[in-house]
Amino acid sequence: MKSTAIHDWVKKRQDEWIALRRHLHSFPELSHKEFKTSQYVAEFLQREGIAVQAGAAVTGLVTQNKGRVNRTIGLRCDLDALQITEETGSPFASRHPGVMHACGHDVHTSVVAGTNVILHALRDNLPGNVKCIYQPAEEADRGGAEMVIREGFIDDVEAMFGIHVDPSLPVGKFGVRAGAMMASIDFFEITVRGPGGHGARPHQTVDTLFVTSQVMNALYQMHSRRFSALEQPSVISICKINGGHQANVIPASCTFAGTFRTFDDAVRVQLRQLVEETAVSISRAHGAECEVRITPNAPPVINDERLGLLVEETIAEVFGEESIVRLEHPMTASEDFAYYREKCPIYFLRLGIASGEATSYPLHSPKFNVDERVIGYAVELLSNLMIRYFEK
């Protein structure tokens, strides 16, 4: 059964967690620069008597709620903001020009802090240990999750839970999905080179722009002829191109860059090989040289099925079966929470935040905002979930 004590704690304290969120929203910081953010969160937790370990991945924090059994699970949030100029008109809008919490990390942090406070208050009845990871740099190309893992902070963790706000879901609803939840992401940059020459005499040189267009088209067409669209979905996007400086000069090089994403580890490896092979072979066929640089980033988020059953059971018991939204499709966006799967089973949960037009703008929009009731709902759910994990 759900805990009445937890419900009472949420009712009593949720305004404080909303105030925490508003402060964090007003003073956002970019990846790897979350010094004041982590300091403020640490002071918030320390006032509750919670011991805080600073310096995780430089700007992150770790706390440990000790339970009766020496088994540990993890709960993770993210601290960083984005390079976006806020347009919400909110009284607690960002005071840092060009920086905004447009992805809800201020909400995630406040939810985990609230859960941390409740678990600390109920520590005498806590069955096992719950480690809270306040992770920096989720938005960075090289994110904080890798650093947290490398520094050994989750070596003793047997399962990890993460959360993310979702403006496509109404506030009070929770998005769940077994298996693939979010895609992997790899970055690529491809440079096509030739001798350069006059635009009037392309036959005397190598037209690097033409070759680049052939490579780009081949990459876009590659998936439909090499993979099953139903069984092995993936997305390739070219988002940057740079070549030439004058209308009558064929440039000596042209560079373009983008990402590819998939939900399968094996397909991800194949895509890396095919991107390089396709670019190099087409360039050579036209007499051009080609350099391919692939930078691996986050793997796919694959939710553990057994953890998912526990999550759904907890949602149903705390808020009712009608609060569960079983997501039909995974998201093609990526999340460095996926790295934790290298150490233990993981589960990533979506939190509904929409209650009208103002709270329905997409993630990373300058108008992004949330219905703050989500903080209390999420704290109550996660507090129950952390306890029920050990009971089950």
Side-chain angles (χ1 to χ4, degrees), residues 212-233:
T212 295
S213 70
Q214 300 302 300
V215 174
M216 291 170 61
N217 285 332
L219 293 181
Y220 277 136
Q221 296 167 7
M222 184 176 65
H223 179 270
S224 65
R225 294 298 176 264
R226 303 299 292 266
F227 300 99
S228 166
L230 297 176
E231 298 174 3
Q232 301 166 306

Side-chain angles (χ1 to χ4, degrees), residues 21-234:
R21 181 257 165 169
R22 293 182 176 184
H23 177 90
L24 299 179
H25 192 87
S26 296
F27 301 98
E29 295 177 298
L30 296 175
S31 301
H32 298 298
K33 298 179 181 179
E34 310 94 330
F35 294 101
K36 292 184 178 179
T37 299
S38 61
Q39 180 182 356
Y40 192 86
V41 173
E43 292 171 354
F44 177 89
L45 296 171
Q46 288 165 345
R47 286 195 296 271
E48 301 289 334
I50 298 171
V52 178
Q53 181 176 357
V58 182
T59 53
L61 307 170
V62 177
T63 68
Q64 178 93 300
N65 297 280
K66 290 285 190 179
R68 297 190 301 272
V69 178
N70 192 26
R71 292 172 56 198
T72 303
I73 58 175
L75 178 60
R76 171 266 202 179
C77 63
D78 30 21
L79 300 172
D80 53 332
L82 290 156
Q83 283 187 293
I84 293 175
T85 299
E86 183 163 354
E87 298 176 6
T88 63
S90 167
F92 48 87
S94 172
R95 300 183 190 178
H96 293 167
V99 185
M100 177 190 175
H101 272 296
C103 201
H105 294 189
D106 52 340
V107 175
H108 306 162
T109 299
S110 301
V111 166
V112 171
T115 305
N116 206 342
V117 168
I118 286 183
L119 295 178
H120 178 72
L122 302 178
R123 58 192 177 277
D124 291 342
N125 296 314
L126 188 61
N129 307 328
V130 179
K131 184 175 288 189
C132 293
I133 308 290
Y134 298 83
Q135 180 207 300
E138 188 277 327
E139 300 287 357
D141 289 350
R142 283 297 179 184
E146 288 180 286
M147 298 172 67
V148 168
I149 294 169
R150 188 166 59 247
E151 292 166 6
F153 286 105
I154 69 160
D155 284 353
D156 59 341
V157 171
E158 63 184 63
M160 281 287 292
F161 295 87
I163 53 172
H164 206 295
V165 295
D166 189 337
S168 72
L169 297 176
V171 64
K173 303 290 186 180
F174 301 91
V176 300
R177 194 175 197 278
M181 182 61 137
M182 300 184 74
S184 64
I185 178 172
D186 290 295
F187 295 88
F188 65 84
E189 184 177 88
I190 297 173
T191 299
V192 177
R193 293 190 175 92
H198 200 296
R201 295 184 288 274
H203 59 287
Q204 294 181 351
T205 184
V206 174
D207 188 340
T208 52
L209 294 178
F210 169 75
V211 176
T212 295
S213 70
Q214 300 302 300
V215 174
M216 291 170 61
N217 285 332
L219 293 181
Y220 277 136
Q221 296 167 7
M222 184 176 65
H223 179 270
S224 65
R225 294 298 176 264
R226 303 299 292 266
F227 300 99
S228 166
L230 297 176
E231 298 174 3
Q232 301 166 306
S234 64

Side-chain angles (χ1 to χ4, degrees), residues 244-266:
H245 61 280
Q246 193 167 324
N248 63 346
V249 176
I250 294 174
S253 69
C254 182
T255 299
F256 66 96
T259 62
F260 54 88
R261 305 165 188 261
T262 185
F263 303 100
D264 184 273
D265 292 324

